[in-house]
Amino acid sequence: MSERYRRKSGLIIEADRLRAMDMSKAARELYSEAAKIEYEIAHTIQREGDAEYYINAISAASCWLMGGRYAAAQRVLRELLADPLPPSVRAEVERHLAAVEHAQRVRCWAPNLRPQGEEAAVCSQPGSNGGPSAPDRAPRWRANRGLREALALA
C-alpha cells in the first residue's frame, strides 16, 4: 500500500509542477492517473474496515476535478453520499460536489476551457448550461489565466 501512496503523491507533485509551468494537458493526465490510484486506495481501505476511507475518496474526486474529469469526480462524490457518513463529512462531500458541478458549468460555457474526449459529452447533456447545442456565448467571454487557475483550484 505504501508504494501506491508514494506513486500517487509523486504524480500529484509532478502535476502541480507542470500546472505551474502552464503545461495543463500533461498536468491533467497526471492528476487523472493519481485519481485512479487514490480511488483504489479508498476502496482497499474501505474493504479493510477503515471508517475514514472517505478521506481518500474525496482526494480522488479532487484529483479527477484537477484532471478535468468532472463525471468521474461526481461519480465518486455521489458514491460517498450513498454511504452513511458523519454529518460534517456529508456536508463537506456536498460542498465538493457543488464545486465540481460549478466548474463543469463554467467550462462548458467557454469553448477554450471545455473538457476533451469523453468528458466533452457532459457539456451537451441537458442542464449542463451551454454545451455545443446551446447558443455560443464564447465570443463575448474571454477566459484569462486567473479564471483558469481559479477553476483548477475549485
Side-chain angles (χ1 to χ4, degrees):
M1 180 83 88
S2 62
E3 178 57 36
R4 288 196 296 178
Y5 275 112
R6 278 194 293 277
R7 172 83 175 125
K8 179 256 319 177
S9 296
L11 289 168
I12 292 171
I13 290 167
E14 181 64 13
D16 288 343
R17 186 183 71 76
L18 291 171
R19 189 182 67 171
M21 296 171 35
D22 280 337
M23 299 176 70
S24 59
K25 182 176 181 180
R28 283 192 307 268
E29 291 171 9
L30 293 181
Y31 284 125
S32 293
E33 190 175 340
K36 291 175 191 174
I37 296 169
E38 189 76 276
Y39 186 71
E40 291 170 5
I41 291 170
H43 278 284
T44 300
I45 291 171
Q46 185 181 26
R47 280 192 305 273
E48 292 172 354
D50 188 335
E52 294 192 356
Y53 71 94
Y54 58 82
I55 295 169
N56 295 88
I58 291 171
S59 177
S62 295
C63 288
W64 284 126
L65 176 61
M66 298 294 284
R69 304 280 309 274
Y70 307 109
Q74 289 174 1
R75 179 180 46 82
V76 171
L77 295 169
R78 287 189 177 113
E79 283 176 10
L80 275 175
L81 290 173
D83 290 346
L85 299 170
S88 62
V89 174
R90 180 168 298 282
E92 185 70 14
V93 172
E94 289 170 347
R95 186 182 69 74
H96 280 284
L97 182 57
V100 171
E101 290 169 344
H102 174 73
Q104 176 186 343
R105 282 190 302 272
V106 169
R107 292 213 176 162
C108 286
W109 273 25
N112 57 331
L113 294 178
R114 278 193 188 133
Q116 302 298 312
E118 67 185 58
E119 292 294 313
V122 173
C123 289
S124 61
Q125 293 177 359
S128 67
N129 289 330
S133 61
D136 190 6
R137 299 172 189 91
R140 289 178 272 144
W141 188 80
R142 298 285 179 239
N144 60 34
R145 182 182 171 137
L147 176 61
R148 287 193 301 273
E149 290 172 357
L151 290 172
L153 298 174

